[in-house]
Amino acid sequence: MEKVKTIAAIKRDIEDHIGDKVTLKANGGRKKILVNNGVIESAHPSIFVVRLENDIQRTVTYSYSDVLTKTVQLYFAL
């Protein structure tokens, strides 16, 4: 059974991995799942920023509640 995390624990976990590579799996709506690789660029009080590593360099922002509700799933590189 998976351990339930709080937003504060999720924020600390993401702050500990700033600069690390991550695989991002996001719900795109209408049964569409978006999978991207990127680097966690920064963490702010209510959001975090991920720079995507695809053809065009762009950044996306998500809130910690997105991770809590599993709208966004992060997989840290080992």
Side-chain angles (χ1 to χ4, degrees):
M1 192 163 137
E2 188 175 323
K3 181 181 172 187
V4 177
K5 288 188 170 184
T6 63
I7 289 183
I10 292 169
K11 182 179 177 186
R12 267 192 316 273
D13 196 25
I14 290 173
E15 286 174 342
D16 290 342
H17 287 93
I18 290 176
D20 292 348
K21 290 190 176 191
V22 67
T23 299
L24 183 74
K25 191 174 181 183
N27 183 354
R30 294 198 176 249
K31 298 182 181 180
K32 187 192 301 184
I33 303 295
L34 305 172
V35 178
N36 290 307
N37 292 319
V39 175
I40 297 177
E41 198 168 77
S42 62
H44 301 280
S46 58
I47 61 169
F48 61 96
V49 180
V50 178
R51 178 167 297 281
L52 299 180
E53 295 176 345
N54 51 10
D55 294 341
I56 54 171
Q57 291 289 318
R58 70 179 191 137
T59 59
V60 291
T61 59
Y62 294 103
S63 68
Y64 302 111
S65 60
D66 289 336
V67 177
L68 181 67
T69 60
K70 294 190 169 75
T71 303
V72 173
Q73 295 176 348
L74 297 173
Y75 302 100
F76 301 110
L78 298 175

